[in-house]
Amino acid sequence: MEVCEVNLHTNGGQEYLENAVKYPIDERRVLAKGFGVTTHDPDTAVMQFSKTARFYNNENKTPLFHYVLSFTKKTASSAEQAMELSEKIFKPITDDHLALIGIHNKKRGDSEYHAHVAISPTNYINGNMMYADNSTLFPIAQRMADATGQECRLVVKPEDKQKKEIHKDFKPHVK
């Protein structure tokens, strides 16, 4: 089963932003791609995320969303396949949100390759905010199920460790 995990850190602040932007593109990456941001200099990428939020007066809101997509060997036996699937899954969002995708080659459950995806919640065209609610998260998980042709488990890890993780499974739509 494929896994789409989202880590919620709405109150993470600057330190969280720096760590979450740097992680997908640090030395552990096998492949990286940026959407409106550089993948070559983490400090510049952090600045790009920060300035976009500040421009739209969103700097005191959620700094970014961090997704981890874990692909089974059947669906992504290479870093290139993992990147291609990740791009497809997040295409509707990367059209108007800054994002970084970093592919790591490290075992996570049944997965050989997984993607770390950092996305700015600020739409860089109109300043609207994206939220980590069902209207955003469910379509991402459904696109993962459809793109891979495999069942996908959405795991939402809340910021408050006292709250329970949310797990919901999605089946691919028949084409």
Side-chain angles (χ1 to χ4, degrees):
M1 177 181 291
E2 315 303 306
V3 178
C4 175
E5 179 181 298
V6 61
N7 299 292
L8 302 179
H9 293 285
T10 56
N11 299 315
Q14 189 64 28
E15 182 179 355
Y16 170 69
L17 177 65
E18 290 172 7
N19 290 335
V21 168
K22 291 176 181 180
Y23 189 77
I25 59 175
D26 71 10
E27 67 280 349
R28 292 169 281 198
R29 73 175 184 196
V30 178
L31 285 177
K33 185 164 185 180
F35 299 84
V37 293
T38 184
T39 60
H40 303 296
D41 179 17
D43 292 328
T44 300
V46 169
M47 183 265 310
Q48 291 168 314
F49 274 83
S50 296
K51 288 205 180 270
T52 300
R54 188 174 311 123
F55 180 80
Y56 286 107
N57 205 25
N58 291 337
E59 67 268 21
N60 295 319
K61 298 179 181 174
T62 302
L64 66 81
F65 295 118
H66 177 203
Y67 298 89
V68 181
L69 306 180
S70 297
F71 300 103
T72 59
K73 292 176 188 173
K74 180 178 179 179
T75 59
S77 60
S78 71
E80 291 77 15
Q81 287 174 316
M83 179 62 79
E84 185 179 316
L85 288 167
S86 299
E87 287 182 67
K88 186 174 187 176
I89 293 161
F90 283 98
K91 172 76 170 114
I93 297 170
T94 58
D95 284 345
D96 51 16
H97 290 264
L98 301 180
L100 288 170
I101 299 175
I103 305 299
H104 291 199
N105 183 359
K106 183 179 178 189
K107 199 148 180 61
R108 283 178 59 93
D110 294 335
S111 167
E112 191 72 31
Y113 291 95
H114 64 275
H116 288 273
V117 184
I119 296 181
S120 169
T122 300
N123 180 312
Y124 64 75
I125 295 171
N126 60 22
N128 289 342
M129 289 291 290
M130 178 175 71
Y131 297 96
D133 57 15
N134 294 350
S135 69
T136 300
L137 300 179
F138 287 9
I140 292 169
Q142 187 61 58
R143 282 194 302 273
M144 186 168 184
D146 292 341
T148 63
Q150 303 296 315
E151 210 170 311
C152 172
R153 171 161 292 154
L154 173 65
V155 178
V156 180
K157 292 190 169 191
E159 185 170 26
D160 180 354
K161 301 293 183 203
Q162 303 303 315
K163 291 187 178 177
K164 196 173 176 187
E165 286 184 5
I166 299 166
H167 296 239
K168 181 168 172 48
D169 295 345
F170 293 81
K171 295 187 183 310
H173 289 131
V174 178
K175 293 182 180 181

